């Protein structure tokens, strides 16, 4: 792939650091400009043909990078005489980019991503555009993306919209693979917004626009606070560890009795309530660099008590509530099946023997494949012997909680590696942060 870096930003919110002497993408991080970090990340992924779109104080960027040879890449420049938004320069790019698709990066994004995975996704989906999407700790003030079951984009939900509903924590990171034909949608170099003027229209036209969901490190560093956080993440090695080219450590979490208060089968959103301390526990997982993934049996679908959409609505409530407290789950897997027949209202479609119902390991296996998880370095936390048996079957370390059913289900004769009173205590012990 070629890469295009939109590096024309002034960085008003970073004036305390730029002092109006350098453009925003040249802000230093651990001794190197942000743009140099971006170029190194691209080169590591095999991308050496780069086009930079520069504007405000763009000569500073050109003087530093020149033709790119000093950084083992080849750099070309497009100079905006006036700001053209996030897509106005596409009119010029169409004359330069001749490949089928290219990577579009905004100059204020710090990232550490296994781009080969994202590129394969783009190819397999035959996508016209692929958006990098991820959960974050502030979805309430972020642009959200709604995906269908095939990860096709259904809607772009601006952070400016009023949200009086539960939503999935799926944030647009401002990082794209775009087919060259999208460049041809901008005929003249006039101010154009990629999302508002192009992507929203393509989604409404049912074009092949997809979201690539990943927990890897990607951060908009457009504020002084986010710059400080990224510096800290670089110093403690979190940036490198989050890249999916590296084996990931994960803490798998049961749902009922672990994340939310145990009330038997919870299949109505009104019944869902977070356990005390859960948001703090999951926030600690997020800060540690480990993945936090929920794996839960939800047999109420098979029993005919509710539909798949009802479970998904509950999970949106869970993600919304966690997001309000600065916490997020990297993914949620659930099994709607139940093999035992005999319920009067049961749904025969889901009354089957499956590979995903715990203590079988299907949900764990899917997560391991998708996120390059090292089971030997990972844990599962739950309130039943079924959760512990799942962990044993998958080769995970295990924690039994005394919340929820507290292991009193008695289905399996297994012993957990740790027994803790609640999720917060369990996470603190795993991370070695017990106060």
């Amino acid at each position: 792939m070629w890469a295009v870096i939109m590096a024309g930003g002034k960085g008003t919110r970073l004036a305390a650091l730029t002092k109006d002497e350098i453009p925003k993408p040249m802000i230093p991080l651990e001794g190197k400009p942000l743009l140099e970090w971006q170029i190194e990340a691209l080169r590591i992924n095999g991308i050496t043909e780069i086009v930079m779109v520069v504007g405000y104080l763009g000569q500073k960027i050109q003087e530093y990078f020149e033709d790119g040879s000093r950084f083992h890449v080849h750099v070309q420049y497009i100079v905006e005489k006036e700001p053209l938004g996030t897509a106005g320069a596409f009119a010029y790019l169409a004359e330069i980019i001749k490949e089928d698709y290219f990577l579009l990066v905004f100059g204020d994004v710090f990232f550490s991503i296994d781009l080969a995975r994202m590129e394969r996704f783009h190819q397999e989906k035959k996508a016209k555009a692929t958006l990098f999407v991820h959960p974050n700790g502030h979805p309430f003030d972020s642009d959200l993306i709604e995906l269908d079951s095939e990860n096709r984009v259904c809607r772009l939900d601006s952070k400016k919209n009023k949200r009086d509903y539960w939503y999935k924590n799926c944030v647009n990171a401002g990082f794209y693979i775009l087919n060259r034909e999208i460049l041809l949608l901008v005929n003249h170099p006039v101010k154009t917004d990629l999302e508002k003027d192009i992507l929203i229209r393509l989604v409404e036209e049912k074009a092949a626009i997809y979201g690539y969901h990943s927990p890897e490190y990607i951060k908009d560093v457009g504020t002084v606070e986010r710059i400080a956080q990224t510096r800290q993440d670089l110093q403690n090695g979190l940036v490198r560890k989050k890249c999916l080219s590296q084996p990931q450590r994960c803490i798998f979490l049961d749902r009922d009795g672990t994340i939310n208060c145990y009330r038997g089968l919870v299949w109505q959103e009104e019944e869902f309530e977070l356990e005390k301390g859960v948001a703090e526990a999951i926030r600690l997982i997020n800060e540690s660099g480990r993945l936090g993934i929920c794996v839960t049996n939800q047999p109420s679908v098979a029993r005919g008590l509710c539909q798949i959409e009802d479970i998904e609505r509950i999970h949106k409530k869970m993600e919304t509530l966690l997001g309000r407290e600065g916490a997020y789950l990297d993914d949620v897997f659930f099994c709607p099946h139940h093999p035992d027949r005999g319920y009067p209202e049961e749904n025969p479609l889901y009354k089957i023997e499956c590979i995903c119902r715990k203590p079988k390991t299907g949900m764990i296996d899917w997560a391991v494949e998708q996120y390059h998880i090292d089971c030997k370095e990972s844990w599962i936390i739950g309130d039943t012997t079924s959760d512990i048996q799942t962990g044993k079957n998958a080769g995970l370390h295990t924690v039994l909680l005394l919340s929820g059913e507290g292991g009193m289900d008695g289905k399996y004769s297994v012993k957990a590696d740790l027994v803790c009173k609640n999720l917060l205590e369990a996470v603190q012990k795993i991370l070695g942060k017990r106060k």
Side-chain angles (χ1 to χ4, degrees), residues 64-182:
Y64 188 88
F65 292 100
E66 299 177 325
D67 66 355
S69 57
R70 185 161 59 96
F71 305 92
H72 309 290
V73 297
H74 177 238
V75 178
Q76 302 179 58
Y77 299 92
I78 292 174
V79 180
E80 293 182 342
K81 295 180 179 179
E82 58 184 41
L84 296 177
T86 51
F90 283 10
Y92 299 126
L93 285 167
E95 298 299 316
I96 300 174
I97 302 288
K98 300 301 180 183
E99 305 296 318
D100 291 340
Y101 53 82
F102 64 98
L103 184 71
L104 179 67
V105 184
F106 291 144
D108 59 357
V109 173
F110 196 103
F111 62 92
S112 178
I113 296 170
D114 185 353
L115 289 176
R117 286 174 175 258
M118 185 176 179
E119 185 176 11
R120 283 198 300 272
F121 177 91
H122 182 81
Q123 294 171 332
E124 290 167 359
K125 294 295 185 181
K126 296 181 173 57
K128 181 173 287 190
T130 296
L131 288 61
F132 188 104
V133 298
H134 66 135
N136 72 15
H138 53 98
F140 47 83
D141 66 356
S142 301
D143 293 331
L144 299 179
I145 304 296
E146 291 185 13
L147 305 177
D148 67 12
S149 60
E150 299 299 320
N151 289 321
R152 192 165 185 149
V153 177
C154 304
R155 178 171 174 251
L156 287 82
D157 183 7
S158 170
K159 60 186 176 184
K160 297 179 181 178
N161 293 339
K162 181 180 179 181
R163 294 179 185 152
D164 54 358
Y165 55 88
W166 308 121
Y167 52 82
K168 185 172 180 59
N169 187 342
C170 184
V171 174
N172 183 13
F175 195 92
Y176 310 86
I177 296 178
L178 303 177
N179 282 6
R180 183 181 180 277
E181 61 191 275
I182 288 181

Side-chain angles (χ1 to χ4, degrees), residues 19 56 66 69 79 83 101 123 150 166 174 185 188 200 207 216 223 226 234 251 299 320 379 384 391 434-435:
K19 303 184 187 304
Y56 175 76
E66 299 177 325
S69 57
V79 180
Y101 53 82
Q123 294 171 332
E150 299 299 320
W166 308 121
L185 299 177
H188 305 286
I200 288 178
E216 292 171 287
T223 68
R226 292 176 188 171
L234 279 166
I251 298 179
T320 303
W379 294 73
T384 68
R434 181 64 178 166
K435 296 180 181 179

Side-chain angles (χ1 to χ4, degrees), residues 84 86-95 97 102 127-129 177-209:
L84 296 177
T86 51
F90 283 10
Y92 299 126
L93 285 167
E95 298 299 316
I97 302 288
F102 64 98
K128 181 173 287 190
I177 296 178
L178 303 177
N179 282 6
R180 183 181 180 277
E181 61 191 275
I182 288 181
L183 298 176
L184 306 180
L185 299 177
V186 183
N187 299 317
H188 305 286
V190 295
K191 194 167 186 177
T192 308
D193 187 274
L194 175 59
E195 286 189 22
K196 295 178 182 177
D197 300 326
I198 297 177
L199 292 179
I200 288 178
R201 177 160 57 89
L202 290 173
V203 169
E204 291 173 348
E205 293 172 356
K206 309 298 182 185
I209 312 299

Side-chain angles (χ1 to χ4, degrees), residues 296-368:
T296 174
N297 292 344
Q298 292 300 317
S300 52
V301 176
R303 294 184 181 181
L305 298 174
C306 66
Q307 303 296 318
I308 292 287
E309 294 76 15
D310 298 307
I311 301 299
E312 291 175 340
R313 190 178 304 110
I314 289 173
H315 289 161
K316 287 178 180 178
K317 179 177 181 179
M318 174 172 67
E319 295 193 41
T320 303
L321 294 177
L322 288 171
R324 289 175 181 173
E325 299 192 54
Y328 60 86
L329 291 165
D330 290 291
D331 211 335
V332 179
F333 294 86
F334 71 92
C335 169
H337 308 112
H338 194 284
D340 299 339
R341 297 177 179 269
Y343 298 90
E345 67 281 358
E346 66 188 25
N347 186 334
L349 184 64
Y350 297 101
K351 281 292 179 179
I352 61 172
E353 286 283 353
C354 63
I355 62 170
C356 50
R357 179 174 169 79
K358 295 183 292 186
K360 294 181 180 178
T361 61
M363 291 185 285
I364 306 289
D365 296 338
W366 297 331
V368 166

